[in-house]
Amino acid sequence: MRFFVLVLFAVGAVAQASADEIRLGVHNFPPYFVSTGNGHCGGEAVELTRSILQTDSFTVRTVCATPARIYKMLQSGEVDLTINIKQTQALPADVSFVAPPYVQLSLVLLTHGAAVAREKQPTIAAIRGFDYHGQRQQLSDSGYSFIDLPDSISAVEMFIKGRSSALLTYEAPFNYYLQQQALPFASHYQRRLLDTIDAYYVVSPQSKHLGYISTTLNHYAETEQLSYFSH
C-alpha cells in the first residue's frame, strides 16, 4: 500500500511539473532567437524571457520550429508565447500582445548588383509565412518573384551566395550573420529602408498561463520603466 501511494505521489508531481511548463516558440531570428539545430535554441530573447517568467513554480521551455509552424502552434496552444510583429496575417486573430514592444525592427530591401543584372525576373529571398507588413505584396506587384525559405538565416545565405537578386529582411539577423561570418557589408549591395516595425510578445489564446504571462511581463516592464523589453 505504501508503495502504491508513493507511485501516485510521483505521478502527481510529474503532472504538476508539466502543467506549470511555459513553452516559448523560437525560430532562427538572431540575435533575439538563435536555433543551433538538433532541437537546441536560445538567444537574447530566450534568456530575458526565462529571467522574467521562470520561477520555482514555472519552467520556461523552448520549442524550436519555423515561423509558419509556430503560428499554427499558437493557434492550437502547443506553444504559449513567441515574439512577432502584430501585422503578420498568419497569426491567429485572437492572440494577445503584451505592451510595451519587445524591440523595434528595421525592415530593409537589399539588392545584389551582379544577380540583378543576370536575372531576367528579379528574385527575392524571404521567410516563408512572413508578409513583411504588406511589403511582400507590393514587391510581387512590382515584378519580383519570391524564393521562400524556412527562416531568416536561410534567406540571408541564399542572398549572400548570389542565388537571389534581392533579400527582404529585418536588419538585425542580416547584421548578425555578417558578424558571425566575419563578412563586411559588400559595397555592391544596395540597401533601402522600407519600414520600422515594433515586435511584441505574442501569447496564445489557448494558453492556460495567459494571465500569468501577461501580468508578469507587464509588471516587469512597469517596474523597470521600459519602453522596449530589449535594451
Side-chain angles (χ1 to χ4, degrees), residues 27-86:
H27 59 89
N28 204 17
F29 193 87
Y32 313 112
F33 289 153
V34 180
S35 177
T36 57
N38 299 319
H40 298 292
C41 45
E44 295 175 7
V46 173
E47 294 174 8
L48 179 59
T49 305
R50 276 208 175 103
S51 71
I52 299 171
L53 295 180
Q54 190 156 288
T55 66
D56 291 341
S57 301
F58 291 96
T59 298
V60 175
R61 178 173 69 87
T62 56
V63 178
C64 312
T66 64
R69 176 65 181 146
I70 288 173
Y71 300 147
K72 293 179 180 178
M73 296 173 87
L74 283 169
Q75 178 69 61
S76 65
E78 293 176 73
V79 297
D80 295 287
L81 77 162
T82 189
I83 295 172
N84 207 84
I85 67 170
K86 290 184 175 181

Side-chain angles (χ1 to χ4, degrees), residues 6 13-14 18 77-78 95 127 134 169 212 214:
L6 287 174
V14 171
S18 176
E78 293 176 73
V95 294
I127 303 172
T169 185
Y212 169 77
S214 300

Side-chain angles (χ1 to χ4, degrees), residues 7-178:
V7 170
L8 285 179
F9 177 81
V11 171
V14 171
Q16 180 63 30
S18 176
D20 292 335
E21 186 175 74
I22 295 173
R23 296 150 302 180
L24 174 64
V26 176
H27 59 89
N28 204 17
F29 193 87
Y32 313 112
F33 289 153
V34 180
S35 177
T36 57
N38 299 319
H40 298 292
C41 45
E44 295 175 7
V46 173
E47 294 174 8
L48 179 59
T49 305
R50 276 208 175 103
S51 71
I52 299 171
L53 295 180
Q54 190 156 288
T55 66
D56 291 341
S57 301
F58 291 96
T59 298
V60 175
R61 178 173 69 87
T62 56
V63 178
C64 312
T66 64
R69 176 65 181 146
I70 288 173
Y71 300 147
K72 293 179 180 178
M73 296 173 87
L74 283 169
Q75 178 69 61
S76 65
E78 293 176 73
V79 297
D80 295 287
L81 77 162
T82 189
I83 295 172
N84 207 84
I85 67 170
K86 290 184 175 181
Q87 295 85 356
T88 300
Q89 295 178 3
L91 279 174
D94 50 353
V95 294
S96 298
F97 296 96
V98 177
Y102 181 84
V103 69
Q104 185 175 80
L105 302 172
S106 296
L107 179 61
V108 297
L109 178 67
L110 301 171
T111 52
H112 191 299
V116 170
R118 184 180 67 245
E119 294 183 342
K120 293 181 179 179
Q121 181 177 19
T123 56
I124 296 182
I127 303 172
R128 184 177 297 111
F130 277 28
D131 49 69
Y132 298 95
H133 205 188
Q135 291 293 334
R136 176 186 287 269
Q137 187 61 53
Q138 292 184 39
L139 290 165
S140 294
D141 292 345
S142 65
Y144 280 97
S145 175
F146 274 80
I147 303 172
D148 285 323
L149 286 305
D151 56 48
S152 63
I153 297 304
S154 299
V156 169
E157 288 178 336
M158 173 73 71
F159 173 72
I160 291 288
K161 293 174 182 177
R163 296 175 181 169
S164 69
S165 49
L167 171 67
L168 183 58
T169 185
Y170 294 103
E171 199 155 32
F174 181 75
N175 289 341
Y176 178 91
Y177 181 86
L178 295 184

Side-chain angles (χ1 to χ4, degrees), residues 155-221:
V156 169
E157 288 178 336
M158 173 73 71
F159 173 72
I160 291 288
K161 293 174 182 177
R163 296 175 181 169
S164 69
S165 49
L167 171 67
L168 183 58
T169 185
Y170 294 103
E171 199 155 32
F174 181 75
N175 289 341
Y176 178 91
Y177 181 86
L178 295 184
Q179 292 166 6
Q180 292 297 304
Q181 301 297 320
L183 297 173
F185 186 93
S187 59
H188 55 270
Y189 298 158
Q190 290 81 48
R191 172 189 178 277
R192 177 155 61 101
L193 177 65
L194 299 178
D195 210 344
T196 54
I197 308 169
D198 287 339
Y200 294 80
Y201 278 111
V202 185
V203 189
S204 167
Q206 304 300 325
S207 172
K208 56 188 170 184
H209 304 308
L210 191 156
Y212 169 77
I213 293 169
S214 300
T215 300
T216 305
L217 290 173
N218 278 323
H219 178 72
Y220 177 85

